[in-house]
Amino acid sequence: MVTFDHREPGTPEQKWADSKALRTAPELDLEGVDRAVVFAAHPDDETLGAGGTVHRLIQTGSSVRVIVATLGEKSHPDSPTHTQQTLSRVRHLEMSEAVGAITAGCVTPEYLALPDGGLTAKALADPVNEAMTWLAQGRHPLAVVTWVKDGHPDHEILAAQVQEAAGAAAVRCVQYPIWWWHWGTPGKLPRGLVYVPLSDEDRDAKQQALEHHVSQVRPLSDQPGDEVLLGPHILEHFEREREYFILAAPHQTPVFNRVHTESEDPWSVDSSRYEHRKRDVLTASLPRELYPRALDIGCSTGALTAQLAAHVGVMTAVDASDVALGKARTRLTERGLKNVQLRNAVLPEQWDPDWTDLDLIVVSEVGYFCSPEQWKKLLSLCTKALSSDGHLVLCHWRHPIKDWPLDGDDVHREARRRRNLTRLVEHREADFEIDIYARTKRGRA
């Protein structure tokens, strides 16, 4: 029986007790999830990070697969009693019993039998892609994997491969920290943190599963080299009434191609009063009447692009969805607008180095469709591309953005931190926010 220490002040878990980020994280929506795949780098990852969530998904009728990349055979490299081959057999059995405990015997784990400590993207590609193909056949699929910044190479390589494949397949992906809880700090929790509440039944099933990972939660023997790996100071992080995950930013192209295919006007840009007012306020806020060279990032079906065209000499309008660009092309042609070039690109990765010395860059309703790292890079590229007297316009919806790691306030907050940008215009109301920046003149703070 695994016994968890009570959380007294000074225990490792205590540092998280008052974390505002944990208290205010939104709940992960599991409603309607019909297929889920949980990826583990090593046996026990799945139980520690997502055991309660797996139990909940099984109880609500989801089809769940559990895929473990390695058998964790190098967990005790100096063991005098267990060889790597012995540990492989032991951990294989423990994993089977643990997964049985959290799935009421409904799921048999799938073993890739890849080398512990030696995961590679090449070795993971085929099994991960197969799992994504299966997931993509569901109506509301979910991929669950270790966190890409967890501090363990196997965790991070597996996470990166799953995140990329899930993004390409337009499958929602969440990542669970394991070692982060031990070495991380509350002040550096990532954006996109969400939680799943655990019932008493979920937590009981999780604890029963942990008890099956005997080689990890108890010493192999009393000899040096056989010490316990997951002692109470580690396990207490996983005793919570919630399991926490980090949302992975989906790949924009498949997501928005699907959105624009399913609906002629997914954002109601032609009928919504919000959309009309937002565009009018944005164009009225421009400090100059005419901008010779402009870039419109995230143009979608071109409603704002068409309105901006009256204020620019020539403009490039960019979107990740070729379906959306087709609708934008039709709109511009119908209005006889010939000063706009449309480009299909996913930014910041496909930034064109020829986009330099621009007089106007508009980023409207797209910043929060980046990961935090992508947004920082895109913001830097936009700043460098501005002419000496150019303007950068940011305009975003201020309410929560479901299933994406950032929201509008996050996007604008990052821009306000930049010392090389000076804010010229600030407009904020309940539904949207507009900030207009110029490059900071040399010598200014």
Side-chain angles (χ1 to χ4, degrees), residues 275-336:
E275 290 287 342
H276 283 278
R277 171 174 160 69
K278 177 194 67 178
R279 294 197 295 270
D280 289 343
V281 173
L282 189 156
T283 53
S285 299
L286 294 174
R288 290 160 56 183
E289 180 64 27
L290 183 66
Y291 293 86
R293 299 182 65 229
L295 177 65
D296 178 17
I297 296 176
C299 67
S300 187
T301 61
L304 177 60
T305 309
Q307 198 157 328
L308 288 170
H311 300 271
V312 304
V314 293
M315 177 166 56
T316 300
V318 183
D319 201 88
S321 168
D322 53 4
V323 178
L325 288 172
K327 297 178 181 181
R329 186 171 292 106
T330 298
R331 184 190 302 271
L332 297 174
T333 300
E334 290 175 347
R335 299 192 184 186

Side-chain angles (χ1 to χ4, degrees), residues 259-260 263-272 301 327 331:
V259 166
H260 286 94
S263 173
E264 187 63 29
D265 186 8
W267 317 123
S268 301
V269 297
D270 294 315
S271 58
S272 164
T301 61
K327 297 178 181 181
R331 184 190 302 271

Side-chain angles (χ1 to χ4, degrees), residues 40-266:
H42 315 97
D44 73 24
D45 291 340
E46 80 300 326
T47 301
L48 292 168
T53 300
V54 171
H55 183 263
R56 178 173 167 180
L57 288 170
I58 290 291
Q59 296 303 304
T60 56
S62 298
S63 295
V64 178
R65 293 170 60 183
V66 177
I67 299 176
V68 57
T70 83
L71 288 171
E73 65 273 12
K74 294 183 179 179
S75 63
H76 292 76
D78 300 320
S79 172
T81 61
H82 287 64
T83 65
Q84 290 186 20
Q85 291 75 17
T86 301
L87 275 171
S88 293
R89 292 192 295 271
V90 168
R91 299 199 71 184
H92 186 289
L93 178 60
E94 292 175 351
M95 178 85 175
S96 297
E97 294 175 340
V99 170
I102 56 175
T103 66
C106 295
V107 176
T108 300
E110 303 168 40
Y111 300 96
L112 303 185
L114 298 174
D116 185 13
L119 291 185
T120 65
K122 182 178 180 180
L124 289 166
D126 286 345
V128 168
N129 289 336
E130 181 279 324
M132 288 304 149
T133 299
W134 180 81
L135 276 172
Q137 296 170 17
R139 290 180 57 82
H140 299 287
L142 179 68
V144 184
V145 68
T146 47
W147 186 33
V148 75
K149 293 185 178 180
D150 201 39
H152 190 296
D154 282 347
H155 291 201
E156 297 182 358
I157 290 169
L158 177 62
Q161 190 70 23
V162 170
Q163 178 175 314
E164 181 178 352
V171 169
R172 185 168 53 147
C173 178
V174 297
Q175 303 177 349
Y176 53 90
I178 299 292
W179 293 110
W180 165 263
W181 300 118
H182 187 57
W183 63 262
T185 59
K188 294 186 177 181
L189 278 166
R191 296 289 180 187
L193 191 72
V194 294
Y195 76 92
V196 172
L198 303 183
S199 67
D200 290 343
E201 292 78 11
D202 296 332
R203 297 174 70 199
D204 287 346
K206 180 173 182 174
Q207 181 166 332
Q208 291 171 24
L210 280 172
E211 291 170 3
H212 288 296
H213 289 291
V214 178
S215 67
Q216 306 303 293
V217 301
R218 298 175 188 165
L220 296 179
S221 76
D222 59 1
Q223 298 185 47
D226 278 353
E227 295 84 3
V228 64
L229 291 185
L230 301 178
H233 65 297
I234 298 294
L235 292 175
E236 65 180 346
H237 298 305
F238 306 98
E239 186 192 7
R240 303 184 183 113
E241 296 178 353
R242 297 176 169 186
E243 285 177 339
Y244 288 93
F245 302 89
I246 296 97
L247 288 168
H251 194 289
Q252 295 178 23
T253 296
V255 170
F256 294 121
N257 274 342
R258 184 185 64 199
V259 166
H260 286 94
T261 299
E262 292 176 348
S263 173
E264 187 63 29
D265 186 8

Side-chain angles (χ1 to χ4, degrees), residues 352-365:
D352 190 330
D354 290 336
W355 293 337
T356 59
D357 202 30
L358 297 170
D359 303 292
L360 177 67
I361 301 176
V362 177
V363 184
S364 178
E365 307 273 28

